């Protein structure tokens, strides 16, 4: 299993525009066969900071996610509202 | 529900010493009544970077965790092996 934390920094003034895009991305991603879990959280101290907490069967599942129609269509639209570099942390569960 | 991502930066040369402390912390924390989930992951690209992915019933549950005997005993021992500032991100699940 591969765990991934993906962090976006969205312009706080544009959050209302990005939420429906995120909602669709989460809904469609959860239907992917290789997706174990996929949650979108929002930083309570910094509303523009969005954090995906993800679990994938393996790297192939993550690659398929990135190649999916919904990812390819939605992520560029979401990125238009970002104000900082995304941060990706690939993790292995230890305990 | 409160989600929390807590990140430690451990001296890579000391990882073997910190793992048993982490293992005990995870085991005892999962028995706390307010703990919904508590996982420790390791960064695949930076072995000294450890990431707790946590879910708590509420802030009171998190406060009780911090006040617990095992937290008060183990965390100072773990901190002795850190080489950088811990990072805490308090989150709310959106989707």
């Amino acid at each position: 299993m591969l765990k991934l934390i993906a962090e976006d920094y969205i312009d706080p003034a544009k959050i209302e525009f990005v939420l429906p895009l995120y909602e669709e991305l989460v809904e469609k991603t959860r239907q992917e066969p290789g997706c174990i879990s996929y949650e979108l959280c929002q930083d309570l101290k910094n509303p523009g900071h969005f954090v995906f907490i993800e679990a994938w069967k393996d790297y192939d599942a993550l690659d398929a996610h990135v190649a999916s129609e919904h990812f390819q269509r939605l992520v560029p639209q979401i990125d238009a509202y970002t104000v900082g570099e995304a941060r990706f942390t690939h993790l292995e569960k230890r305990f």
Side-chain angles (χ1 to χ4, degrees), chain A:
Chain A
M1 177 173 70
L2 170 66
K3 299 274 292 190
L4 170 61
I5 292 177
E7 303 178 62
D8 281 348
Y9 293 89
I10 301 294
D11 178 346
K14 303 283 174 54
I15 291 173
E16 64 181 292
F17 303 112
V18 85
L19 286 177
L21 302 173
Y22 272 146
E23 188 165 22
E24 185 185 355
L25 180 61
V26 170
E27 191 210 319
K28 292 216 161 80
T29 297
R30 284 183 181 147
Q31 295 162 19
E32 293 174 35
C35 178
I36 296 170
S37 66
Y38 192 82
E39 256 184 16
L40 178 61
C41 300
Q42 189 173 14
D43 187 332
L44 290 167
K45 294 172 183 162
N46 173 6
H49 181 207
F50 285 86
V51 180
F52 287 93
I53 302 174
E54 312 176 19
W56 299 96
K57 279 187 185 150
D58 48 37
Y59 269 106
D60 288 345
L62 179 56
D63 290 344
H65 169 58
V66 172
S68 68
E69 179 282 331
H70 47 277
F71 187 101
Q72 292 292 321
R73 173 169 49 84
L74 293 166
V75 168
Q77 294 178 54
I78 291 164
D79 286 350
Y81 297 111
T82 58
V83 289
E85 281 283 311
R87 179 183 186 234
F88 301 94
T89 309
H90 292 230
L91 299 157
E92 176 190 28
K93 184 179 173 183
R94 289 305 303 257
F95 306 122

